[in-house]
Amino acid sequence: MTILINRIKRILDDFAENVYVVGGTIRDRLLNREISDYDFAVIGDVASISKMVSEKLGCSYVPYAEERGTYKVVYEKIMMDFTQLRGEYIEEDLRHRDFTINAMALRLNDFFDSNLIIDPFGGLRDLQNKKIRCVSKDSFDDDPLRMLRAVRFASKYKFSIEEDTKNLIKEKSNLISKISSERIMNEIYAILKSNESFKYIKMMDELGLIDSIFPEIKNMKELGGCYYQVLDSWYHSIKTVEEYESIVQELRFPADMTKTILNYLNKELSSGNKLKDVLKIAAMFHEIGKKDAIYIDADNHIQFYNHDVKGEKIVSGITKRLKMAKKESSLIKKMVLYHANPFSIYVNGMSNKTIFKFFSDLEDDSIGCLLLSQADIVAAMKGQGRLNEASCYKSFILKLLRRYMDYEKTKTPLLTPLDIIVNFDLKDYKLLNQILYELRKNQFYGEIESREDAVKFVEERMKMEKI
């Protein structure tokens, strides 16, 4: 940081007096956090100044938002935004910013002297008190996305939102619908990266943002306690997210299993989001189809037949409306559709046939589904004080994960397609795929243990085809 700032000061020379370091750069420096984004407010010809910096540093220059007077310089992995100063003085510029902790500045030449921080709105005080406070009452009218940003900053820095700011968000929460779905989802994904995102999902709900972004959740709030749960379906879903986060943080599984689970959870999806965080959206929505699937049985108990199928349809509409990337959308829909399957296996018994079909349908997403199932059922059982049953269900999920590890081993075939084609002169590719599937299935069942067993199986299988 020191070297880069000094280089920029030397490059700009006399122009440095007209450049301020502003916003998040000052905030993160005061919080002793690593800085990878620098924001500069410039008096004068911002295009020439930013181009001068990029040329002298020998790095990329992008007219990022020329209509707003913003130019981006990318130096190695560091992003620098140069923006035209709004107004005649820096104080006027800072007045347009979102929160007090982001409305501080330093002249570039004074960057290393914290005593010279320009702080017209009490950002230093709010940093010390760990408060998120909006700069003005017009802040959310100027950009409604700032309401979600307030929650994101709270989740990132473990700050609280100041009461007047909270009340203003509640009053303006419906304005979030004016924001593009892509910007909304970027903020939500950032919030979900918190290890305790369940707290911030609750915060979004209390501020009225959840209902404005996901109106479908209203039905979950109207679905009250029943035989399976103490409180409403939405409350249970938040508890499921909490339980899931606890599982992922602790990962109390054998070492080889933990490695496989971590490799799965840390996969990056198309938009750079980690799979483990996107699973939290599936946890939020896993019961969204229940209201449309209510059925009263002969014992006067509420049942929810096909709530998984109905839920998947509703979630499909949500992911489409919010323009989620294909991989994220596919994962969320798949988890909602299959989330009840592990509990069904628990109730009806673990047969090789049922487990193999479950793993075949989901492949490595079996891991995500099993973790979500544990979170779902354990959260419900804990809510009812059924702690022994919760412990039993955890043990059951561990057994299924062990069987999944067995399934993983069958991915390396005892016989390859080429082995079968060459040795058995098999040219019917439909039959070839069927035999490969049966080989894998019987290997999982424990009926085929070696290459010799596999060869015998194919020999017998080919005899059957000739009859």
Side-chain angles (χ1 to χ4, degrees):
M1 176 180 75
T2 303
I3 295 171
L4 179 61
I5 290 294
N6 281 328
R7 284 188 70 184
I8 294 172
K9 283 167 67 176
R10 285 196 299 272
I11 289 166
L12 294 179
D13 196 18
D14 293 340
F15 291 109
E17 275 297 308
N18 295 328
V19 178
Y20 294 88
V21 186
V22 295
T25 308
I26 305 297
R27 177 198 69 225
D28 286 346
R29 186 187 158 206
L30 291 169
L31 291 171
N32 291 316
R33 285 179 168 258
E34 184 180 350
I35 301 172
S36 57
D37 294 285
Y38 287 81
D39 292 314
F40 300 94
V42 178
I43 299 171
D45 189 347
V46 64
S48 296
I49 284 175
S50 55
K51 190 171 285 188
M52 187 189 308
V53 171
S54 71
E55 287 173 354
K56 295 290 185 181
L57 288 177
C59 57
S60 302
Y61 169 78
V62 183
Y64 177 64
E66 284 184 280
E67 72 283 356
R68 298 203 308 268
T70 298
Y71 301 82
K72 191 178 289 291
V73 174
V74 184
Y75 176 72
E76 295 177 352
K77 292 184 179 179
I78 295 171
M79 312 288 283
M80 293 178 275
D81 282 351
F82 292 80
T83 304
Q84 187 76 49
L85 189 82
R86 286 173 287 188
E88 290 186 40
Y89 305 103
I90 186 64
E91 290 80 6
E92 291 179 58
D93 182 276
L94 297 176
R95 188 180 301 279
H96 292 285
R97 296 183 180 267
D98 51 8
F99 306 108
T100 58
I101 60 171
N102 298 330
M104 295 179 282
L106 269 168
R107 282 188 187 274
L108 179 58
N109 284 336
D110 300 331
F111 186 75
F112 299 104
D113 190 346
S114 297
N115 293 318
L116 297 177
I117 288 176
I118 301 162
D119 178 25
F121 304 105
L124 279 168
R125 179 196 63 222
D126 286 336
L127 266 186
Q128 290 164 355
N129 294 330
K130 299 185 175 182
K131 292 282 186 185
I132 309 292
R133 183 193 311 270
C134 57
V135 171
S136 77
K137 290 186 177 181
D138 299 326
S139 185
F140 304 133
D141 295 291
D142 294 341
D143 183 0
L145 189 70
R146 289 172 171 176
M147 295 183 284
L148 269 180
R149 281 167 58 84
V151 180
R152 171 161 67 84
F153 284 128
S155 71
K156 183 176 181 179
Y157 299 112
K158 301 298 180 276
F159 284 13
S160 61
I161 300 175
E162 178 268 336
E163 284 304 312
D164 286 345
T165 302
K166 270 188 181 179
N167 291 332
L168 196 58
I169 294 173
K170 289 175 185 176
E171 180 187 326
K172 308 276 188 180
S173 61
N174 63 306
L175 295 178
I176 199 72
S177 60
K178 295 182 176 181
I179 298 299
S180 74
S181 54
E182 291 90 346
R183 292 180 74 205
I184 286 172
M185 286 311 303
N186 284 340
E187 293 296 330
I188 288 175
Y189 287 134
I191 291 165
L192 293 175
K193 288 176 183 174
S194 164
N195 291 333
E196 295 182 316
S197 66
F198 73 93
K199 292 181 180 179
Y200 304 99
I201 293 169
K202 280 200 276 191
M203 183 183 286
M204 285 190 283
D205 190 28
E206 289 161 3
L207 295 172
L209 294 169
I210 283 287
D211 286 346
S212 294
I213 298 167
F214 306 112
E216 296 87 350
I217 283 175
K218 185 181 178 185
N219 284 341
M220 297 172 72
K221 294 177 179 180
E222 293 173 354
L223 190 64
C226 63
Y227 178 72
Y228 299 102
Q229 302 170 181
V230 176
L231 293 172
D232 69 66
S233 191
W234 172 238
Y235 175 87
H236 164 71
S237 294
I238 295 176
K239 296 301 288 183
T240 299
V241 176
E242 180 179 2
E243 191 67 36
Y244 165 77
E245 290 183 321
S246 175
I247 294 167
V248 170
Q249 281 298 299
E250 295 173 6
L251 282 182
R252 294 182 179 177
F253 302 106
D256 61 331
M257 193 183 290
T258 297
K259 184 179 178 182
T260 299
I261 292 171
L262 276 174
N263 286 340
Y264 169 75
L265 292 175
N266 286 320
K267 280 183 189 174
E268 285 209 350
L269 300 179
S270 56
S271 56
N273 301 310
K274 285 195 174 177
L275 192 149
K276 66 179 179 182
D277 300 323
V278 178
L279 282 173
K280 297 176 188 181
I281 299 178
M284 283 170 56
F285 292 145
H286 76 281
E287 295 209 328
I288 203 161
K290 277 194 166 180
K291 189 170 183 186
D292 291 346
I294 292 174
Y295 172 78
I296 310 295
D297 67 17
D299 298 320
N300 209 32
H301 289 154
I302 297 177
Q303 304 289 348
F304 304 100
Y305 291 126
N306 293 323
H307 78 280
D308 43 7
V309 176
K310 293 180 184 295
E312 192 265 351
K313 187 175 180 181
I314 295 169
V315 163
S316 181
I318 293 171
T319 61
K320 188 175 181 180
R321 185 182 74 242
L322 291 172
K323 298 178 183 174
M324 292 189 198
K326 188 176 180 180
K327 288 183 180 178
E328 281 84 343
S329 174
S330 176
L331 178 70
I332 294 164
K333 289 188 286 185
K334 193 188 299 182
M335 291 299 105
V336 171
L337 183 61
Y338 281 90
H339 80 274
N341 285 40
F343 186 69
S344 177
I345 295 170
Y346 179 71
V347 171
N348 297 311
M350 283 176 62
S351 72
N352 276 330
K353 182 179 179 182
T354 306
I355 297 169
F356 185 79
K357 184 177 187 315
F358 174 69
F359 293 153
S360 297
D361 286 348
L362 291 177
E363 291 294 343
D364 59 348
D365 284 327
S366 303
I367 296 172
C369 194
L370 291 174
L371 297 181
L372 284 182
S373 179
Q374 178 175 322
D376 174 20
I377 303 304
V378 169
M381 288 175 172
K382 279 183 176 179
Q384 293 176 314
R386 296 155 59 191
L387 301 184
N388 287 338
E389 289 180 71
S391 181
C392 288
Y393 197 73
K394 287 180 185 178
S395 298
F396 163 74
I397 292 295
L398 180 59
K399 286 178 186 174
L400 275 184
L401 283 167
R402 284 200 180 103
R403 292 310 319 270
Y404 176 76
M405 297 298 286
D406 294 337
Y407 179 79
E408 272 277 298
K409 291 172 187 172
T410 69
K411 287 183 177 179
T412 304
L414 293 169
L415 292 178
T416 67
L418 187 60
D419 289 334
I420 297 172
I421 290 168
V422 171
N423 293 311
F424 296 94
D425 193 28
L426 179 58
K427 295 174 182 174
D428 182 341
Y429 288 100
K430 185 176 180 183
L431 178 58
L432 173 64
N433 287 329
Q434 191 176 338
I435 289 173
L436 286 167
Y437 176 82
E438 289 172 6
L439 272 172
R440 187 174 184 186
K441 181 173 69 174
N442 284 289
Q443 185 183 343
F444 179 75
Y445 289 4
E447 294 171 6
I448 294 176
E449 297 180 350
S450 65
R451 183 180 174 85
E452 290 72 23
D453 291 343
V455 169
K456 286 178 185 176
F457 174 85
V458 178
E459 285 174 347
E460 292 299 318
R461 188 70 175 74
M462 293 301 291
K463 285 177 186 176
M464 288 173 59
E465 288 299 318
K466 291 175 183 177
I467 294 173

